[in-house]
Amino acid sequence: MQKYLSFIIVLLLLTSCVKKTDDVELEKVSFSKLVDFEKDNMTGAYKAFRKSCEAIALKTGEFIDDSAIKINRKDYMAVCAKSLGVAPKKFGEFIKNHFTPYLVTFNGSAEGKFTAYYEAELNASYVKDDKYRYPIYAKPYDLVEVNLKDFDKSLPDKKILGRVDSGKLVPYYTRKEIYEKGLNAPVILWADSYVDLYIMQIQGSAVAKLPNGQKTRISYAENNGHEFKGIGSILLSKKVIPSGQASMGNIKKWLKQNFDKAKEHMNENERYIFHRLGNEDGPMGALGVGLTSGRSLAVDQKFIPLGAMLWLETSKPDNKKLNKLVVAQDIGGAIKGAVRGDYFWGSGGDDILEKAGKMNSKGQYYILIPNHSEK
């Protein structure tokens, strides 16, 4: 077999059809090449994998037709069925018996960038008052979704979000317009800090601490269709924060201490996120399952199919090794490229934010493909 398999892949993680492309290459390797594979406790990875199996079985997962690697639902479910009787601690052995690892390279390089995200915490109430005055909006009544391909097969298969004004589809309101004028939309909760709300929108979800001490999860519902612009890059371009101090913890601190100035900078990110109340055991990812701390990875699904297992080799902000099995269960606006990932650190307050916000590491990963798909 060739050392490298280059492709545009009309296949899924679980089929055998391989086609070539100039961008992505897979190099078949043995499990002995995966650093620390035998040391990884697979219990959490097995949990994440089973969630993906359930999502695909219920058809809640979305798979992009033009992604480099696609997942054939029927074949994927066959692998899921084989894993049912496996003890979580034996999951590594199961993988070695049923999968083959391939090093993913993009434009000739196996090295990519790996960042991290987390599920934030904020204070919120069901009732608006002088303290809790910032609305957390659900999906607006007037938000319209269209797909160009539905109207003309020659057009791109692309989702567009907007609203109807005088019989025409126009872009939806920007962050600044929403902040200044409000929306005709349900309010699920009221937050006590716009900065915390803003950071929740960057992360996509949060745990809300209510006045009575109880907690509830706030999950992603939709966005306003505008491009995302990172607050870190905005503040750096304005020279508000030195480049060596642009961690998420420092950014959050500056935004709160300089809120009047910060509003202008935050509004440069025109994307606005709408939410819903959730009861999942983790923040909802793009696959349609609750994310698993330390085991879920956001990827670019143009290349990596949601549900795929990946062996990740990178490092934490303190330079300690981060080698473990993860599952592609989410996406992100800044996650672009075949070797690019956003590691889900977990849920928590400023301590988790500080760890996740500082991660910006080089690394690589291997995609695990079922053995029968090689035939």
Side-chain angles (χ1 to χ4, degrees):
M1 177 176 281
Q2 291 178 313
K3 182 180 180 182
Y4 291 94
L5 300 174
S6 303
F7 40 33
I8 247 174
I9 308 179
V10 182
L11 156 123
L12 201 196
L13 194 120
L14 314 165
T15 65
S16 59
C17 179
V18 176
K19 296 185 179 182
K20 292 184 178 181
T21 183
D22 295 331
D23 297 328
V24 182
E25 291 184 336
L26 297 187
E27 179 188 355
K28 181 180 179 180
V29 301
S30 66
F31 277 96
S32 63
K33 290 285 187 179
L34 277 54
V35 179
D36 294 334
F37 183 83
E38 300 294 342
K39 297 180 181 179
D40 190 18
N41 183 331
M42 297 290 183
T43 302
Y46 180 77
K47 176 183 176 182
F49 173 73
R50 289 304 312 169
K51 286 183 179 181
S52 293
C53 289
E54 293 170 6
I56 296 168
L58 295 172
K59 299 183 181 180
T60 58
E62 294 184 3
F63 304 95
I64 303 302
D65 291 337
D66 61 355
S67 57
I69 303 174
K70 302 178 183 178
I71 298 179
N72 179 284
R73 181 177 177 274
K74 182 178 179 181
D75 289 341
Y76 193 98
M77 292 313 301
V79 176
C80 288
K82 291 179 181 179
S83 71
L84 277 172
V86 176
K89 291 186 177 181
K90 296 291 185 179
F91 190 45
E93 182 178 338
F94 173 84
I95 290 173
K96 290 175 68 175
N97 290 332
H98 293 88
F99 291 82
T100 297
Y102 288 82
L103 176 66
V104 182
T105 65
F106 185 51
N107 293 330
S109 175
E111 184 177 272
K113 183 172 80 169
F114 294 90
T115 51
Y117 66 119
Y118 78 112
E119 185 179 38
E121 287 187 351
L122 53 71
N123 299 314
S125 172
Y126 288 108
V127 180
K128 181 182 180 181
D129 59 23
D130 291 340
K131 179 180 180 181
Y132 299 99
R133 62 184 187 277
Y134 299 103
I136 302 175
Y137 289 113
K139 184 177 177 180
Y141 299 115
D142 59 347
L143 185 68
V144 176
E145 175 185 328
V146 298
N147 192 310
L148 297 178
K149 203 172 186 68
D150 292 339
F151 297 88
D152 186 335
K153 298 301 181 183
S154 67
L155 294 175
D157 184 11
K158 182 178 181 180
K159 181 176 78 171
I160 293 178
L161 295 163
R163 61 187 178 87
V164 176
D165 184 11
S166 301
K168 294 182 179 181
L169 181 67
V170 298
Y172 204 73
Y173 301 111
T174 64
R175 171 175 295 280
K176 181 178 180 180
E177 291 171 327
I178 294 172
Y179 178 81
E180 293 179 349
K181 300 178 182 179
L183 283 178
N184 179 22
V187 176
I188 59 173
L189 287 168
W190 297 87
D192 70 345
S193 167
Y194 184 73
V195 172
D196 288 343
L197 189 157
Y198 184 88
I199 291 175
M200 173 184 70
Q201 293 192 349
I202 295 174
Q203 303 300 324
S205 64
V207 172
K209 296 186 290 185
L210 304 176
N212 62 4
Q214 294 183 340
K215 295 184 178 182
T216 186
R217 175 162 277 112
I218 306 171
S219 299
Y220 173 93
E222 191 51 274
N223 67 78
N224 63 346
H226 289 272
E227 288 296 319
F228 170 82
K229 188 173 183 180
I231 186 63
S233 63
I234 293 171
L235 296 182
L236 285 172
S237 68
K238 304 293 183 181
K239 298 183 179 180
V240 173
I241 292 182
S243 59
Q245 300 178 25
S247 70
M248 202 51 167
N250 288 338
I251 289 172
K252 179 179 178 180
K253 183 178 180 180
W254 187 90
L255 293 175
K256 287 194 171 185
Q257 291 177 345
N258 303 273
F259 184 63
D260 288 339
K261 295 179 182 179
K263 286 185 293 184
E264 177 183 346
H265 298 314
M266 288 189 283
N267 284 336
E268 288 189 40
N269 172 27
E270 295 189 343
R271 173 161 290 196
Y272 199 96
I273 305 299
F274 308 113
H275 297 276
R276 63 178 178 82
L277 294 177
N279 56 5
E280 303 84 9
D281 59 353
M284 184 66 72
L287 181 61
V289 301
L291 302 180
T292 302
S293 298
R295 293 295 177 175
S296 296
L297 191 75
V299 297
D300 185 345
Q301 62 186 121
K302 290 182 180 179
F303 300 97
I304 304 296
L306 293 178
M309 290 194 295
L310 300 158
W311 178 258
L312 174 65
E313 294 181 0
T314 185
S315 59
K316 299 177 182 179
D318 59 5
N319 293 321
K320 291 183 179 179
K321 292 189 298 184
L322 181 60
N323 302 332
K324 63 197 308 185
L325 188 67
V326 294
V327 186
Q329 294 180 322
D330 205 4
I331 60 175
I335 312 305
K336 303 295 183 184
V339 188
R340 176 73 172 92
D342 210 17
Y343 176 78
F344 178 59
W345 204 284
S347 303
D350 289 347
D351 57 333
I352 295 293
L353 180 151
E354 191 66 18
K355 293 176 182 178
K358 286 183 177 180
M359 185 168 171
N360 189 1
S361 307
K362 295 179 180 179
Q364 62 184 19
Y365 53 38
Y366 302 79
I367 189 167
L368 304 183
I369 299 179
N371 294 335
H372 74 271
S373 68
E374 299 178 292
K375 297 179 182 178

